Amino acid sequence: IYLLFVVVSSFTVFNMLIGVLCDQVSATASSEAEKMMVSRVHEQMKAAMKTLDMDGNKISQEDFIKLRQSEEASSALQTLGVERRHLVALENALFTHAEDGRTRTVGLTQFLDLICYLRPEITASVLDVADLRKQIRAMSLSSEKMAAWVGTQLGDCVADSRLQSADPV
């Protein structure tokens, strides 16, 4: 009985080790496939940008609109699972500063990283929610500053109009 117990427990441990090894190999394979796919899309996007006579290092919002309308770029991004309708939804998130609302340019590598990060099949994490809270807080502070400025300007206008109405010229 003892020998049977040793054989069965050894076999169980051996199977668990094989399971862990297979899981690690599978995770590594999917990670490498993802990296290869992103690298291939990066090259296709560079080619699409060259076709559209764009600077290959930076993407502005205007360049993004051209890329979104390009069949070559759209097919490259569809490889990542990003469709044109997703790009329309991501446009403001990609090219608008959270702090002041101005548009910005984004490097090609940063652009592809953001697109990969914001793909529809990627689930949100706690860090994503924290980042969203940070952006909302920054936008709220910006709105409060804007409201204070508007209030100051309105107060100045009211004071000027009172001075003009009281001045008997």
Side-chain angles (χ1 to χ4, degrees):
I1 281 207
Y2 177 73
L3 189 58
L4 181 65
F5 173 74
V6 170
V7 169
V8 169
S9 63
S10 297
F11 187 70
T12 303
V13 170
F14 182 68
N15 279 338
M16 286 189 334
L17 289 173
I18 287 176
V20 168
L21 182 64
C22 288
D23 187 47
Q24 287 298 315
V25 168
S26 174
T28 303
S30 65
S31 173
E32 289 299 318
E34 176 88 10
K35 286 180 186 175
M36 287 176 30
M37 181 175 58
V38 169
S39 175
R40 187 171 49 245
V41 169
H42 190 275
E43 293 303 317
Q44 290 173 344
M45 289 297 289
K46 275 189 174 180
M49 289 175 74
K50 190 177 251 185
T51 302
L52 295 170
D53 289 333
M54 290 186 210
D55 178 24
N57 299 325
K58 296 277 187 183
I59 298 175
S60 66
Q61 194 164 9
E62 294 80 22
D63 293 340
F64 177 74
I65 292 169
K66 289 180 195 175
L67 278 174
R68 194 176 66 213
Q69 294 169 348
S70 165
E71 287 297 323
E72 188 177 357
S74 290
S75 67
L77 291 174
Q78 281 180 347
T79 305
L80 292 174
V82 178
E83 299 174 8
R84 282 188 184 178
R85 62 187 171 98
H86 299 138
L87 293 175
V88 172
L90 292 175
E91 184 173 344
N92 285 336
L94 292 172
F95 294 102
T96 304
H97 282 287
E99 294 83 21
D100 57 11
R102 291 181 301 147
T103 59
R104 64 179 177 166
T105 59
V106 180
L108 180 61
T109 304
Q110 183 185 12
F111 171 74
L112 287 176
D113 288 345
L114 286 168
I115 290 291
C116 289
Y117 184 70
L118 298 173
R119 287 185 293 175
E121 68 262 7
I122 304 296
T123 56
S125 69
V126 174
L127 293 175
D128 296 327
V129 174
D131 187 44
L132 178 64
R133 286 186 65 192
K134 177 183 164 189
Q135 289 182 356
I136 289 172
R137 188 173 295 129
M139 291 172 66
S140 174
L141 290 173
S142 176
S143 297
E144 288 173 5
K145 287 179 185 176
M146 182 74 71
W149 180 82
V150 167
T152 304
Q153 295 298 319
L154 187 59
D156 291 347
C157 288
V158 168
D160 287 346
S161 69
R162 285 184 184 160
L163 285 174
Q164 288 178 356
S165 63
D167 190 22
V169 174

